[in-house]
Amino acid sequence: MRRSRISAFVPARSTAPTGAGGGLLPARDLAAAWILVVLIAVPAWVLTIWQARDMGVEPGTMGMALPLFLLLWVTMMAAMMLPSMAPVAITWVRGIGRQSSGWVRAGRTVEFVGGYLLVWTAFGLLAYAALAFTGGLVDDHPTAGRWIGAVAFLLAGLYQLGPLKNVCLRHCRDPLSHLVRYAGFRRPARDLRVGLHHGAYCVGCCAGLMVVFIPLGVMNVAAMAGLALVIFVEKLWSRGVLLSGVVGVAFLVLAVLAPFQDWMLPGLEGSMPSMDDM
């Protein structure tokens, strides 16, 4: 009985690569998954770019109230994270479809997605607090922005090279064993727990990268696109672990240069005097 429950979620044969551990979906299902990704991610990117165009790049939360910030944050995360986590999500939802139908299947799918987004929403609360604190500090002490930027790049670099990043990235690159574990979760709220669990690993994998939104600006579209590409390649490329280390070293270099290069800190420069004025 347990074996049949697990096999409903984990395919017996997979042909499409999704990380270090090989594929999770047959080619036809993977194609359908990417179509769904496009249908969700593209509108999320359009909405994010449209909103960023009107807001620009400024220090801190740019005056946004918490509800608006969280709405934009979740939209940003959908745009940035969906391509890299889609294979795992589609595999789990496909398993749900094998075990249930109709409203039950829809409810379980919403439960899974809701758990994943709930974790990112909680992280958004931390991001809002950090942005509000650093934005207020820059407003009161304009020259502090350079050192805030340096510290942010330093923390991001150290996290990229640290053990927690490695553990979470290993999960995201080779999730097959975790899908087997998820199949053993007991009801009630099993799909919610799966979404929360996978979302927590995703946050752990990307937390260091999210820190650089402080110096680069939370509505910096170029930064969003660059970080989304790094996240995608880290998780799905065969040498993604190497890229993670390279990005970590690059952040450490930026931490050294940031106090002397204002152009590296578009998300903090709104209130900072230029180096020529000092």
Side-chain angles (χ1 to χ4, degrees):
M1 181 68 179
R2 179 179 175 83
R3 177 175 296 181
S4 63
R5 184 169 66 244
I6 292 175
S7 63
F9 288 93
V10 181
R13 182 179 65 90
S14 37
T15 60
T18 61
L24 292 178
L25 292 174
R28 183 182 63 182
D29 293 322
L30 187 63
W34 283 113
I35 292 174
L36 181 62
V37 167
V38 170
L39 292 177
I40 298 176
V42 169
W45 273 109
V46 170
L47 179 60
T48 300
I49 293 172
W50 174 76
Q51 188 65 42
R53 180 193 61 185
D54 293 339
M55 299 180 68
V57 179
E58 298 178 12
T61 63
M62 299 179 292
M64 285 187 286
L66 180 59
L68 175 60
F69 177 87
L70 290 178
L71 178 61
L72 292 177
W73 178 263
V74 172
T75 303
M76 287 168 52
M77 294 306 103
M80 294 176 62
M81 303 298 168
L82 185 58
S84 61
M85 63 86 65
V88 176
I90 294 299
T91 301
W92 184 258
V93 171
R94 182 177 173 221
I96 291 175
R98 288 178 176 178
Q99 291 190 335
S100 54
S101 60
W103 288 106
V104 174
R105 176 174 57 192
R108 292 186 60 189
T109 302
V110 169
E111 198 174 315
F112 166 75
V113 175
Y116 182 85
L117 293 180
L118 185 60
V119 175
W120 275 108
T121 301
F123 188 78
L125 293 173
L126 297 177
Y128 185 85
L131 289 166
F133 174 76
T134 56
L137 196 57
V138 169
D139 288 340
D140 295 336
H141 307 282
T143 57
R146 296 187 180 90
W147 303 107
I148 293 173
V151 170
F153 282 125
L154 176 62
L155 292 176
L158 292 177
Y159 190 91
Q160 283 288 113
L161 299 172
L164 182 58
K165 167 75 176 192
N166 184 57
V167 169
C168 294
L169 183 59
R170 188 165 61 244
H171 166 92
C172 292
R173 286 175 53 79
D174 188 14
L176 185 58
S177 61
H178 295 276
L179 287 172
V180 174
R181 177 187 176 189
Y182 292 160
F185 281 9
R186 295 182 179 181
R187 298 181 182 179
R190 178 175 66 178
D191 300 292
L192 177 64
R193 290 174 58 201
V194 171
L196 291 170
H197 192 272
H198 188 63
Y201 271 105
C202 191
V203 167
C205 186
C206 305
L209 298 173
M210 298 297 105
V211 171
V212 301
F213 275 125
I214 293 175
L216 298 182
V218 71
M219 295 304 294
N220 188 328
V221 175
M224 292 180 209
L227 292 176
L229 180 61
V230 169
I231 292 167
F232 182 85
V233 176
E234 275 187 348
K235 293 183 179 181
L236 301 183
W237 187 37
S238 61
R239 298 183 180 179
V241 176
L242 175 62
L243 174 66
S244 177
V246 171
V247 171
V249 172
F251 285 159
L252 294 181
V253 173
L254 292 178
V256 175
L257 298 177
F260 314 103
Q261 302 291 334
D262 292 348
W263 63 271
M264 293 181 179
L265 309 171
L268 294 169
E269 68 178 5
S271 302
M272 288 195 301
S274 67
M275 291 295 291
D276 295 335
D277 295 336
M278 296 181 62

